[in-house]
Coordinates of all heavy atoms in Angstrom, one line a residue:
M851 N 0.8 -1.2 0.0 CA 0.0 0.0 0.0 C 0.9 1.2 0.0 O 1.9 1.3 0.7 CB -0.9 0.0 1.2 CG -1.8 1.3 1.4 SD -2.7 1.3 2.9 CE -4.0 0.1 2.5
D852 N 0.5 2.2 -0.8 CA 1.3 3.5 -0.9 C 1.0 4.3 0.4 O -0.2 4.4 0.8 CB 0.8 4.2 -2.1 CG 1.7 5.4 -2.4 OD1 1.6 6.4 -1.6 OD2 2.4 5.4 -3.4
W853 N 2.0 4.9 1.0 CA 1.8 5.6 2.2 C 0.8 6.8 2.0 O 0.1 7.2 2.9 CB 3.1 6.2 2.8 CG 3.9 7.1 1.8 CD1 5.0 6.7 1.0 CD2 3.8 8.5 1.7 NE1 5.5 7.7 0.3 CE2 4.8 8.9 0.7 CE3 3.0 9.4 2.2 CZ2 4.9 10.2 0.3 CZ3 3.1 10.8 1.8 CH2 4.1 11.1 0.9
R854 N 0.7 7.3 0.8 CA -0.3 8.4 0.5 C -1.7 8.0 0.8 O -2.5 8.9 1.1 CB -0.1 8.9 -0.9 CG 1.2 9.6 -1.2 CD 1.4 9.9 -2.6 NE 2.7 10.4 -2.9 CZ 3.8 9.7 -3.1 NH1 3.8 8.4 -3.0 NH2 5.0 10.3 -3.4
E855 N -2.0 6.8 0.7 CA -3.4 6.3 0.9 C -3.8 6.5 2.4 O -5.0 6.4 2.7 CB -3.5 4.9 0.4 CG -3.4 4.8 -1.1 CD -3.6 3.4 -1.5 OE1 -4.2 2.6 -0.9 OE2 -2.9 3.0 -2.6
L856 N -2.8 6.6 3.3 CA -3.1 6.7 4.7 C -3.0 8.1 5.2 O -3.1 8.4 6.4 CB -2.1 5.8 5.5 CG -2.1 4.3 5.2 CD1 -1.0 3.6 5.9 CD2 -3.5 3.7 5.5
S857 N -2.7 9.1 4.3 CA -2.5 10.4 4.7 C -3.7 11.1 5.3 O -4.8 10.9 4.9 CB -1.9 11.2 3.6 OG -2.9 11.4 2.6
S858 N -3.5 12.0 6.3 CA -4.5 12.8 6.9 C -5.1 13.8 5.9 O -6.2 14.3 6.0 CB -4.1 13.5 8.1 OG -3.8 12.6 9.1
C859 N -4.3 14.2 4.9 CA -4.7 15.2 3.9 C -5.5 14.7 2.8 O -6.0 15.4 1.9 CB -3.5 16.0 3.5 SG -2.2 15.1 2.6
R860 N -5.5 13.3 2.7 CA -6.2 12.7 1.6 C -7.7 13.2 1.5 O -8.4 13.1 2.5 CB -6.2 11.2 1.8 CG -6.7 10.4 0.6 CD -6.5 8.9 0.9 NE -7.2 8.1 0.0 CZ -6.7 7.6 -1.1 NH1 -5.5 8.0 -1.6 NH2 -7.5 6.9 -1.9
G861 N -8.1 13.7 0.4 CA -9.4 14.2 0.2 C -9.6 15.7 0.6 O -10.7 16.2 0.4
M862 N -8.6 16.2 1.3 CA -8.7 17.7 1.7 C -8.4 18.6 0.4 O -7.8 18.1 -0.5 CB -7.8 17.9 2.8 CG -8.1 17.3 4.1 SD -6.9 17.8 5.4 CE -7.5 19.4 5.7
D863 N -8.7 19.8 0.6 CA -8.4 20.8 -0.5 C -6.9 21.0 -0.5 O -6.3 21.4 0.5 CB -9.1 22.1 -0.2 CG -8.8 23.2 -1.2 OD1 -8.0 22.9 -2.1 OD2 -9.4 24.3 -1.1
P864 N -6.2 20.6 -1.6 CA -4.7 20.7 -1.6 C -4.2 22.1 -1.5 O -3.1 22.4 -1.1 CB -4.3 20.1 -3.0 CG -5.6 19.9 -3.7 CD -6.8 20.0 -2.8
E865 N -5.1 23.1 -1.8 CA -4.7 24.5 -1.6 C -4.2 24.9 -0.3 O -3.3 25.7 -0.1 CB -5.9 25.4 -2.0 CG -6.3 25.3 -3.5 CD -5.3 25.9 -4.4 OE1 -4.7 26.9 -4.1 OE2 -5.0 25.3 -5.5
L866 N -4.7 24.2 0.7 CA -4.3 24.4 2.1 C -2.8 24.3 2.3 O -2.2 25.0 3.1 CB -5.0 23.5 3.1 CG -4.6 23.6 4.6 CD1 -4.9 25.0 5.1 CD2 -5.3 22.5 5.4
F867 N -2.2 23.3 1.6 CA -0.8 22.9 1.8 C 0.1 23.8 0.8 O 1.3 23.5 0.8 CB -0.7 21.4 1.5 CG -1.4 20.7 2.5 CD1 -2.8 20.3 2.4 CD2 -0.8 20.3 3.7 CE1 -3.5 19.7 3.4 CE2 -1.5 19.6 4.7 CZ -2.8 19.3 4.5
F868 N -0.5 24.6 0.1 CA 0.3 25.5 -0.8 C 0.0 27.0 -0.6 O -0.8 27.6 -1.3 CB 0.1 25.1 -2.3 CG 0.6 23.7 -2.5 CD1 -0.3 22.6 -2.5 CD2 1.9 23.5 -2.9 CE1 0.2 21.3 -2.7 CE2 2.4 22.2 -3.1 CZ 1.5 21.1 -3.0
P869 N 0.5 27.5 0.5 CA 0.2 28.9 0.9 C 0.6 29.9 -0.2 O 1.7 29.7 -0.8 CB 1.0 29.2 2.2 CG 1.4 27.8 2.7 CD 1.4 26.9 1.5
I870 N -0.2 30.8 -0.5 CA 0.1 31.8 -1.5 C 0.4 33.1 -0.9 O 0.1 33.4 0.3 CB -1.1 32.0 -2.5 CG1 -2.3 32.3 -1.8 CG2 -1.2 30.8 -3.4 CD1 -3.5 32.7 -2.7
G871 N 1.1 34.0 -1.6 CA 1.5 35.3 -1.1 C 2.8 35.2 -0.4 O 3.5 34.1 -0.3
A872 N 3.2 36.3 0.2 CA 4.4 36.3 1.0 C 4.3 35.4 2.1 O 3.4 35.4 2.9 CB 4.7 37.8 1.5
S873 N 5.4 34.6 2.3 CA 5.4 33.6 3.4 C 5.3 34.2 4.8 O 5.1 33.5 5.7 CB 6.5 32.7 3.2 OG 7.7 33.4 3.3
S874 N 5.6 35.5 4.8 CA 5.6 36.2 6.2 C 4.3 36.9 6.4 O 4.1 37.5 7.5 CB 6.8 37.1 6.3 OG 6.7 38.1 5.3
S875 N 3.4 36.8 5.5 CA 2.1 37.5 5.7 C 1.3 36.8 6.8 O 1.4 35.5 6.9 CB 1.3 37.6 4.4 OG 0.8 36.4 4.0
V876 N 0.4 37.5 7.5 CA -0.4 36.8 8.5 C -1.2 35.7 7.9 O -1.3 34.6 8.5 CB -1.2 37.9 9.2 CG1 -2.2 37.2 10.2 CG2 -0.4 38.9 10.0
A877 N -1.8 36.0 6.7 CA -2.7 35.0 6.1 C -1.9 33.7 5.7 O -2.3 32.6 6.0 CB -3.3 35.5 4.9
A878 N -0.7 33.9 5.2 CA 0.1 32.7 4.8 C 0.6 32.0 6.1 O 0.6 30.7 6.1 CB 1.3 33.2 4.0
L879 N 1.0 32.7 7.1 CA 1.4 32.1 8.4 C 0.3 31.3 9.0 O 0.5 30.2 9.5 CB 2.0 33.1 9.4 CG 3.3 33.7 8.9 CD1 3.7 34.8 9.9 CD2 4.4 32.7 8.8
D880 N -1.0 31.8 9.0 CA -2.1 31.1 9.5 C -2.4 29.9 8.7 O -2.7 28.8 9.3 CB -3.4 32.0 9.5 CG -3.4 33.1 10.5 OD1 -2.5 33.0 11.5 OD2 -4.2 34.0 10.5
Q881 N -2.2 30.0 7.4 CA -2.5 28.8 6.5 C -1.4 27.7 6.7 O -1.7 26.5 6.8 CB -2.4 29.2 5.0 CG -2.8 28.1 4.1 CD -2.9 28.6 2.7 OE1 -3.0 29.7 2.4 NE2 -3.0 27.6 1.8
I882 N -0.1 28.1 6.9 CA 0.9 27.2 7.2 C 0.7 26.5 8.5 O 0.8 25.3 8.6 CB 2.3 27.9 7.3 CG1 2.7 28.4 5.9 CG2 3.4 27.1 7.9 CD1 3.9 29.3 5.8
D883 N 0.3 27.2 9.6 CA -0.1 26.6 10.8 C -1.2 25.6 10.7 O -1.2 24.5 11.3 CB -0.5 27.7 11.9 CG 0.7 28.5 12.4 OD1 1.9 28.1 12.1 OD2 0.5 29.5 13.0
E884 N -2.2 26.0 9.9 CA -3.3 25.1 9.7 C -2.9 23.8 9.0 O -3.3 22.7 9.4 CB -4.4 25.8 8.9 CG -5.8 25.1 8.9 CD -6.8 25.8 8.2 OE1 -6.7 27.0 8.0 OE2 -7.8 25.2 7.8
A885 N -2.1 23.9 8.0 CA -1.6 22.7 7.3 C -0.8 21.9 8.2 O -0.9 20.6 8.2 CB -0.9 23.2 6.0
K886 N 0.1 22.5 8.9 CA 1.0 21.8 9.8 C 0.2 21.0 10.9 O 0.6 19.9 11.3 CB 2.0 22.7 10.5 CG 3.1 23.1 9.6 CD 4.2 24.0 10.4 CE 5.4 24.2 9.6 NZ 6.4 25.0 10.4
A887 N -0.9 21.6 11.3 CA -1.7 20.9 12.3 C -2.3 19.6 11.8 O -2.4 18.6 12.5 CB -2.9 21.9 12.8
V888 N -2.7 19.7 10.5 CA -3.2 18.4 9.8 C -2.0 17.4 9.8 O -2.2 16.2 10.1 CB -3.7 18.7 8.4 CG1 -4.1 17.4 7.7 CG2 -4.9 19.7 8.5
C889 N -0.8 17.9 9.4 CA 0.3 17.0 9.3 C 0.6 16.3 10.6 O 1.0 15.1 10.7 CB 1.6 17.7 8.8 SG 1.5 18.3 7.1
H890 N 0.5 17.0 11.7 CA 0.8 16.5 13.0 C -0.2 15.5 13.5 O 0.0 14.8 14.5 CB 1.1 17.6 14.0 CG 2.4 18.3 13.7 ND1 3.6 17.7 14.1 CD2 2.7 19.4 13.1 CE1 4.6 18.5 13.7 NE2 4.1 19.6 13.1
T891 N -1.3 15.3 12.8 CA -2.2 14.2 13.1 C -2.0 13.0 12.1 O -2.7 12.0 12.2 CB -3.7 14.6 12.9 OG1 -4.0 14.9 11.5 CG2 -4.0 15.9 13.7
C892 N -1.1 13.1 11.2 CA -1.0 12.2 10.1 C -0.1 11.0 10.4 O 1.0 11.2 10.9 CB -0.4 13.0 8.9 SG -0.2 12.0 7.4
P893 N -0.6 9.8 10.2 CA 0.2 8.6 10.5 C 1.4 8.4 9.6 O 2.2 7.5 9.9 CB -0.9 7.5 10.4 CG -1.9 8.0 9.4 CD -1.9 9.5 9.6
V894 N 1.4 9.1 8.5 CA 2.5 8.8 7.6 C 3.4 10.1 7.5 O 4.1 10.3 6.5 CB 2.0 8.4 6.2 CG1 1.4 7.0 6.3 CG2 1.0 9.3 5.6
M895 N 3.4 10.9 8.5 CA 4.3 12.1 8.5 C 5.8 11.8 8.2 O 6.4 12.5 7.4 CB 4.1 12.9 9.7 CG 4.7 14.4 9.6 SD 4.2 15.4 10.9 CE 5.6 15.3 12.0
P896 N 6.4 10.8 8.8 CA 7.8 10.5 8.6 C 8.0 10.1 7.1 O 9.0 10.5 6.5 CB 8.1 9.3 9.5 CG 7.1 9.4 10.6 CD 5.8 9.9 9.9
E897 N 7.1 9.3 6.6 CA 7.3 8.9 5.2 C 7.1 10.1 4.2 O 7.9 10.3 3.3 CB 6.2 7.9 4.8 CG 6.5 6.5 5.4 CD 5.8 6.4 6.8 OE1 5.4 7.4 7.4 OE2 5.8 5.3 7.3
C898 N 6.2 11.0 4.5 CA 6.0 12.1 3.7 C 7.2 13.1 3.8 O 7.6 13.6 2.7 CB 4.7 12.9 4.2 SG 4.3 14.3 3.3
L899 N 7.7 13.3 5.0 CA 8.8 14.2 5.2 C 10.1 13.6 4.4 O 10.8 14.3 3.7 CB 9.2 14.4 6.6 CG 10.4 15.3 6.9 CD1 10.3 16.6 6.2 CD2 10.6 15.4 8.4
G900 N 10.2 12.3 4.5 CA 11.4 11.7 3.8 C 11.2 11.8 2.3 O 12.2 12.1 1.7
W901 N 10.0 11.7 1.8 CA 9.9 11.8 0.4 C 10.2 13.3 0.0 O 10.9 13.5 -1.0 CB 8.4 11.5 0.0 CG 8.1 11.8 -1.4 CD1 8.4 10.9 -2.5 CD2 7.6 13.0 -2.0 NE1 8.0 11.5 -3.6 CE2 7.5 12.8 -3.4 CE3 7.1 14.2 -1.4 CZ2 7.0 13.7 -4.2 CZ3 6.6 15.1 -2.3 CH2 6.6 14.9 -3.7
A902 N 9.7 14.3 0.8 CA 9.8 15.7 0.4 C 11.3 16.1 0.5 O 11.8 16.9 -0.3 CB 9.0 16.5 1.3
L903 N 12.0 15.5 1.5 CA 13.5 15.8 1.6 C 14.3 15.3 0.4 O 15.3 15.8 0.0 CB 14.0 15.2 2.9 CG 13.7 16.0 4.2 CD1 14.1 15.2 5.4 CD2 14.2 17.4 4.2
N904 N 13.8 14.2 -0.2 CA 14.5 13.6 -1.3 C 14.1 14.2 -2.7 O 14.7 13.9 -3.7 CB 14.3 12.1 -1.4 CG 15.0 11.5 -0.2 OD1 16.1 11.9 0.1 ND2 14.4 10.5 0.4
V905 N 13.1 15.1 -2.7 CA 12.6 15.8 -3.9 C 12.9 17.2 -3.7 O 12.2 18.0 -3.1 CB 11.1 15.5 -4.2 CG1 10.7 16.2 -5.4 CG2 10.8 14.1 -4.2
A906 N 14.1 17.7 -4.2 CA 14.6 19.0 -3.8 C 13.6 20.2 -4.3 O 13.6 21.2 -3.6 CB 15.9 19.2 -4.5
A907 N 12.9 20.0 -5.3 CA 12.2 21.1 -5.9 C 10.7 21.2 -5.4 O 10.0 22.1 -5.8 CB 12.2 21.0 -7.4
V908 N 10.3 20.4 -4.5 CA 8.9 20.4 -4.1 C 8.6 21.6 -3.2 O 9.4 21.9 -2.3 CB 8.5 19.0 -3.4 CG1 9.1 18.9 -2.0 CG2 7.0 18.9 -3.3
E909 N 7.5 22.2 -3.5 CA 7.0 23.4 -2.7 C 5.9 23.0 -1.8 O 5.3 21.9 -2.0 CB 6.6 24.5 -3.6 CG 7.8 25.0 -4.4 CD 7.4 26.2 -5.4 OE1 6.2 26.6 -5.3 OE2 8.3 26.7 -6.1
G910 N 5.5 23.9 -0.9 CA 4.4 23.6 0.0 C 4.7 22.9 1.2 O 5.9 22.7 1.6
I911 N 3.7 22.6 2.0 CA 3.8 21.9 3.3 C 3.8 20.4 3.1 O 2.8 19.8 2.5 CB 2.7 22.3 4.2 CG1 2.6 23.8 4.3 CG2 2.9 21.7 5.6 CD1 3.8 24.5 4.9
W912 N 4.9 19.7 3.4 CA 4.9 18.3 3.3 C 5.6 17.8 4.6 O 6.6 18.3 5.1 CB 5.8 17.9 2.2 CG 5.3 18.2 0.8 CD1 5.5 19.4 0.2 CD2 4.5 17.4 0.0 NE1 4.8 19.4 -1.0 CE2 4.2 18.1 -1.2 CE3 3.9 16.1 0.1 CZ2 3.4 17.7 -2.2 CZ3 3.2 15.6 -0.9 CH2 2.9 16.4 -2.1
G913 N 5.1 16.8 5.2 CA 5.7 16.2 6.4 C 5.8 17.2 7.5 O 6.7 17.1 8.4
G914 N 4.9 18.1 7.6 CA 4.8 19.1 8.7 C 5.9 20.2 8.5 O 6.2 20.9 9.5
T915 N 6.5 20.3 7.3 CA 7.5 21.3 7.1 C 7.2 22.2 5.9 O 6.6 21.8 5.0 CB 8.9 20.7 6.9 OG1 8.9 19.9 5.7 CG2 9.3 19.8 8.1
T916 N 7.8 23.4 6.0 CA 7.8 24.3 4.8 C 8.9 24.0 3.9 O 9.9 23.3 4.3 CB 7.8 25.8 5.3 OG1 9.1 26.0 5.9 CG2 6.7 26.2 6.2
D917 N 8.9 24.5 2.7 CA 10.1 24.2 1.8 C 11.4 24.9 2.4 O 12.5 24.3 2.3 CB 9.9 24.7 0.4 CG 9.1 25.9 0.2 OD1 8.3 26.2 1.1 OD2 9.2 26.6 -0.8
A918 N 11.3 26.0 3.1 CA 12.4 26.6 3.7 C 13.0 25.8 4.9 O 14.2 25.6 5.0 CB 12.1 28.0 4.3
E919 N 12.0 25.2 5.6 CA 12.5 24.3 6.7 C 13.2 23.0 6.2 O 14.1 22.5 6.7 CB 11.3 23.9 7.6 CG 10.8 25.1 8.4 CD 9.4 24.8 9.0 OE1 8.6 24.0 8.6 OE2 9.1 25.5 10.0
R920 N 12.6 22.5 5.0 CA 13.3 21.4 4.4 C 14.7 21.7 3.8 O 15.6 20.9 3.9 CB 12.4 20.7 3.3 CG 11.1 20.1 3.9 CD 10.4 19.3 2.9 NE 10.0 20.1 1.7 CZ 8.8 20.8 1.7 NH1 8.1 20.8 2.8 NH2 8.5 21.5 0.7
R921 N 14.8 22.9 3.3 CA 16.1 23.3 2.8 C 17.1 23.3 4.0 O 18.3 22.8 3.9 CB 16.1 24.7 2.1 CG 15.6 24.6 0.7 CD 15.9 25.9 0.0 NE 15.2 27.1 0.6 CZ 14.0 27.5 0.4 NH1 13.2 26.8 -0.4 NH2 13.5 28.5 1.0
A922 N 16.7 23.8 5.2 CA 17.6 23.8 6.3 C 17.9 22.4 6.8 O 19.1 22.1 7.1 CB 16.9 24.6 7.4
L923 N 16.9 21.5 6.7 CA 17.1 20.1 7.1 C 18.1 19.5 6.2 O 19.0 18.7 6.6 CB 15.8 19.3 7.1 CG 14.9 19.6 8.3 CD1 13.5 18.9 8.0 CD2 15.5 19.0 9.6
R924 N 18.0 19.7 4.9 CA 18.9 19.2 3.9 C 20.4 19.7 4.1 O 21.3 18.9 4.1 CB 18.5 19.5 2.5 CG 17.4 18.7 1.9 CD 17.2 18.9 0.4 NE 15.9 18.7 0.1 CZ 14.9 19.6 0.0 NH1 15.2 20.9 0.2 NH2 13.7 19.3 -0.2
R925 N 20.5 21.0 4.5 CA 21.8 21.5 4.7 C 22.4 20.9 6.0 O 23.6 20.5 6.0 CB 21.7 23.0 5.0 CG 21.6 23.8 3.6 CD 21.9 25.3 3.9 NE 21.0 25.9 4.8 CZ 19.8 26.5 4.4 NH1 19.4 26.5 3.2 NH2 19.0 27.0 5.4
R926 N 21.6 20.7 7.0 CA 22.1 20.1 8.2 C 22.5 18.6 8.0 O 23.5 18.1 8.4 CB 21.0 20.1 9.3 CG 21.3 21.1 10.4 CD 20.3 21.1 11.5 NE 19.2 22.0 11.2 CZ 18.0 22.0 11.5 NH1 17.5 20.9 12.1 NH2 17.1 22.9 11.1
R927 N 21.7 17.9 7.2 CA 22.0 16.5 6.8 C 23.3 16.5 6.0 O 24.1 15.6 6.3 CB 20.8 15.9 6.0 CG 20.9 14.5 5.8 CD 19.6 13.9 5.3 NE 19.2 14.2 4.0 CZ 18.1 13.8 3.4 NH1 17.3 13.0 3.9 NH2 17.8 14.2 2.1
A928 N 23.5 17.4 5.1 CA 24.7 17.4 4.3 C 25.9 17.7 5.1 O 27.0 17.0 5.0 CB 24.6 18.4 3.2
R929 N 25.8 18.6 6.1 CA 26.9 18.9 7.0 C 27.2 17.6 7.8 O 28.4 17.3 8.1 CB 26.6 20.1 7.9 CG 26.8 21.4 7.2 CD 26.8 22.6 8.2 NE 25.6 22.7 9.0 CZ 24.6 23.5 8.7 NH1 24.7 24.3 7.7 NH2 23.5 23.6 9.5
G930 N 26.2 17.0 8.3 CA 26.4 15.8 9.1 C 27.0 14.7 8.3 O 27.9 14.0 8.8
D931 N 26.6 14.6 7.0 CA 27.3 13.5 6.2 C 28.7 13.8 6.0 O 29.6 13.0 6.0 CB 26.6 13.5 4.8 CG 25.2 12.8 4.9 OD1 24.9 12.3 6.0 OD2 24.4 12.9 3.9
R932 N 29.1 15.1 5.8 CA 30.5 15.5 5.5 C 31.3 15.3 6.8 O 32.4 14.8 6.8 CB 30.6 17.0 5.1 CG 30.2 17.2 3.6 CD 30.7 18.6 3.2 NE 30.1 19.7 3.9 CZ 29.0 20.3 3.6 NH1 28.3 19.9 2.5 NH2 28.5 21.3 4.3
A933 N 30.7 15.6 8.0 CA 31.4 15.4 9.3 C 31.7 13.9 9.5 O 32.7 13.5 9.9 CB 30.6 16.0 10.4
E934 N 30.7 13.1 9.2 CA 30.8 11.6 9.3 C 31.8 11.1 8.4 O 32.7 10.3 8.8 CB 29.5 10.9 9.1 CG 29.4 9.5 9.5 CD 28.1 8.9 9.3 OE1 27.1 9.5 9.8 OE2 27.9 7.9 8.7
A935 N 31.9 11.6 7.2 CA 32.8 11.1 6.2 C 34.3 11.5 6.6 O 35.2 10.7 6.5 CB 32.5 11.7 4.8
S936 N 34.4 12.7 7.2 CA 35.8 13.1 7.6 C 36.3 12.4 8.8 O 37.5 12.2 9.0 CB 35.8 14.6 7.8 OG 35.1 15.0 9.0
T937 N 35.4 11.9 9.7 CA 35.8 11.2 10.9 C 36.1 9.7 10.5 O 36.9 9.0 11.2 CB 34.8 11.2 12.0 OG1 33.5 10.8 11.5 CG2 34.7 12.7 12.6
S938 N 35.4 9.2 9.5 CA 35.6 7.8 9.1 C 36.8 7.6 8.1 O 37.2 6.5 7.8 CB 34.4 7.2 8.6 OG 34.0 7.8 7.4
A939 N 37.3 8.7 7.6 CA 38.4 8.6 6.6 C 39.8 8.4 7.2 O 40.0 8.7 8.4 CB 38.4 9.8 5.7
Ligands
SF4_1078 S1 2.4 14.7 6.5 FE1 1.0 16.4 5.9 S2 1.3 16.7 3.7 FE2 2.2 14.7 4.3 S3 0.7 13.2 3.8 FE3 0.4 13.8 6.0 S4 -1.1 15.4 6.1 FE4 -0.4 15.2 3.9

């Protein structure tokens, strides 16, 4: 079974997960909070986040994160990989 079939957002309006306008506007921040609240009830949040982290160009809220938060997670992961490689070499 595909993890998407178990998602809490299944059947919801996808627009909720793609905030429009400036990401710092009150409306966008409210929408992001609302989408993240759905994600935090989702039984497949880890799978969703893992997928979104591996798809660099994906926008919107996935796995309870914004695209900016995923970029930060990818940078941290890359730094961790480099540190691990330098200690094992
Ligand atoms: S974590 Fe959020 S975006 Fe991902 S499947 Fe679940 S509800 Fe949908």
Side-chain angles (χ1 to χ4, degrees):
M851 177 185 285
D852 190 291
W853 57 266
R854 290 171 186 83
E855 294 178 29
L856 301 173
S857 67
S858 295
C859 60
R860 188 174 166 90
M862 294 183 73
D863 182 353
E865 294 292 319
L866 174 63
F867 296 86
F868 296 92
I870 54 172
S873 60
S874 59
S875 73
V876 172
L879 292 173
D880 285 348
Q881 188 176 345
I882 289 168
D883 285 348
E884 191 178 341
K886 283 183 170 182
V888 175
C889 293
H890 286 282
T891 69
C892 182
V894 292
M895 193 168 98
E897 290 85 348
C898 180
L899 178 57
W901 176 84
L903 285 171
N904 289 324
V905 180
V908 71
E909 294 182 1
I911 308 298
W912 295 87
T915 62
T916 63
D917 37 335
E919 290 165 339
R920 289 191 300 278
R921 280 194 300 276
L923 285 170
R924 278 190 210 96
R925 282 194 299 271
R926 255 182 268 148
R927 189 164 69 177
R929 280 195 299 266
D931 287 350
R932 282 195 300 271
E934 189 174 311
S936 68
T937 57
S938 63

